[in-house]
């Protein structure tokens, strides 16, 4: 399978800094979005450390043997997900270290979502509320479950997804890389099909646009224009946050 990727990021109309970071490596099959948080530009630092750590450990990295938490893992897909978990925890550790060394960065953290393609499989890992979607056969599937308070309330039946989009605490995370020490990423593996399109995005996209709106834009937009169009539509819909979209198309 051949991958064709596009990325677009925008600071948005309100903020001074873009605290989102990303990685797009078509040859390595590695794609990352991180949405940092913390005052005094600390969010930028947190998301950059996270992206750099993922790149280092999964690309230039030490041996797979070293980069996993559970050494009893045998299955290759299990092993890759273990490496993703390890790399995200290592990112968390490095961000905390940076914050301890620089008091102005105290309390910084970041979301982190990673797509790693190997052979004909997609491995995903995420912490926080940056999301991964799959568009397949004209349908959109959300592959990640937000680590947010409102997602817990939706799961418990106390909020509907529609209500959750309106409440003031909708962005409160239940875990983030760096701010929380050890993290427990959700991970998954799924087979790729030619024509699949993956979207990795920060909440600057999904706050102003719901899944249906995103699906509609995907349906009528060419792959090469999709990242730019989604960012444009998010800002047009009133988005004020930093917004980042990575689009990965799978060719046969
Ligand atoms: Ca954000």
């Amino acid at each position: 399978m051949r991958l064709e990727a596009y990325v677009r990021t925008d600071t948005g109309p309100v903020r001074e800094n873009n605290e989102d970071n990303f990685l797009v490596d078509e040859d390595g099959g590695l794609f990352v979005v991180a949405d940092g948080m913390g005052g005094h530009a600390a969010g930028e630092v947190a998301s950059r450390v996270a992206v750099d750590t993922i790149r280092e450990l999964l690309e230039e990295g030490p041996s797979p043997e070293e980069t996993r938490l559970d050494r009893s893992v045998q299955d290759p897909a299990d092993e890759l997900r273990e490496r993703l978990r390890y790399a995200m925890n290592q990112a968390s550790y490095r961000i905390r270290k940076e914050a301890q060394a620089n008091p102005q960065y105290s309390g910084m953290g970041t979301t982190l979502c990673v797509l790693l393609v190997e052979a004909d499989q997609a491995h995903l890992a995420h912490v926080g509320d940056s999301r991964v979607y799959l568009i397949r056969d004209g349908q959109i599937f959300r592959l990640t479950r937000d680590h947010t308070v409102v997602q817990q309330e939706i799961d418990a039946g106390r909020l509907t997804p529609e209500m959750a989009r309106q409440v003031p605490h909708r962005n409160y995370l239940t875990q983030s890389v760096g701010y929380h020490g050890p993290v427990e990423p959700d991970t998954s593996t799924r087979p790729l099909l030619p024509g699949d399109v993956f979207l990795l995005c920060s909440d600057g996209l999904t706050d102003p646009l719901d899944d249906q709106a995103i699906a509609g834009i995907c349906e009528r937009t060419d792959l090469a224009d999709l990242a730019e169009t989604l960012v444009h539509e998010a800002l047009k819909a009133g988005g004020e946050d930093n917004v980042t979209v990575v689009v990965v198309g799978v060719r046969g």
Side-chain angles (χ1 to χ4, degrees):
M1 308 259 187
R2 194 170 57 78
L3 303 176
E4 187 180 336
Y6 302 90
V7 61
R8 184 80 179 179
T9 189
D10 198 293
T11 304
V14 173
R15 297 179 187 244
E16 285 182 10
N17 305 320
N18 191 342
E19 300 190 321
D20 290 355
N21 261 293
F22 61 86
L23 170 66
V24 170
D25 178 357
E26 291 172 330
D27 295 333
L30 184 61
F31 308 92
V32 181
V33 166
D35 175 355
M37 59 212 81
H40 305 289
E44 265 177 280
V45 175
S47 59
R48 182 174 43 73
V49 171
V51 169
D52 288 349
T53 305
I54 296 296
R55 179 196 288 119
E56 183 194 318
L57 290 181
L58 293 172
E59 288 195 333
E60 305 151 19
S63 76
E65 279 299 313
E66 287 171 61
T67 50
R68 59 186 189 197
L69 298 171
D70 179 353
R71 273 145 222 279
S72 67
V73 166
Q74 295 294 330
D75 177 71
D78 284 346
E79 183 186 311
L80 270 171
R81 292 194 301 273
E82 235 358 78
R83 293 187 68 194
L84 289 171
R85 275 193 283 271
Y86 174 89
M88 289 174 109
N89 273 283
Q90 197 62 25
S92 201
Y93 168 74
R94 289 185 189 180
I95 291 166
R96 285 175 79 82
K97 222 170 85 177
E98 184 95 20
Q100 277 159 9
N102 302 281
Q104 76 271 27
Y105 296 155
S106 159
M108 69 178 171
T110 185
T111 72
L112 187 54
C113 63
V114 181
L115 165 66
L116 176 63
V117 175
E118 280 231 342
D120 54 358
Q121 286 190 315
H123 308 277
L124 295 175
H126 90 285
V127 165
D129 66 352
S130 297
R131 292 181 184 167
V132 182
Y133 291 89
L134 168 65
I135 298 118
R136 175 178 282 177
D137 297 330
Q139 276 190 290
I140 189 162
F141 304 93
R142 198 193 295 177
L143 303 183
T144 50
R145 172 177 290 265
D146 294 344
H147 296 138
T148 54
V149 173
V150 291
Q151 184 62 54
Q152 289 182 336
E153 291 173 340
I154 292 168
D155 295 344
R158 291 196 296 272
L159 274 184
T160 65
E162 293 70 33
M163 288 157 69
R165 298 182 64 78
Q166 310 297 332
V167 295
H169 65 285
R170 63 184 176 276
N171 298 118
Y172 288 7
L173 301 182
T174 51
Q175 58 171 334
S176 68
V177 176
Y179 184 75
H180 297 91
V183 288
E184 293 178 28
D186 291 338
T187 61
S188 61
T189 296
R190 62 189 58 242
L192 291 177
L193 292 178
D196 281 350
V197 175
F198 289 88
L199 286 186
L200 287 73
C201 61
S202 61
D203 65 346
L205 180 75
T206 52
D207 268 354
L209 300 177
D210 63 18
D211 290 7
Q212 208 180 345
I214 294 170
I217 296 162
C218 292
E219 202 177 320
R220 61 174 184 266
T221 310
D222 290 339
L223 188 70
D225 301 325
L226 187 51
E228 181 165 4
T229 303
L230 284 167
V231 169
H232 176 76
E233 292 292 331
L235 297 175
K236 211 171 84 180
E240 297 186 337
D241 198 1
N242 308 146
V243 48
T244 300
V245 177
V246 171
V247 169
V248 184
V250 180
R251 302 295 189 195

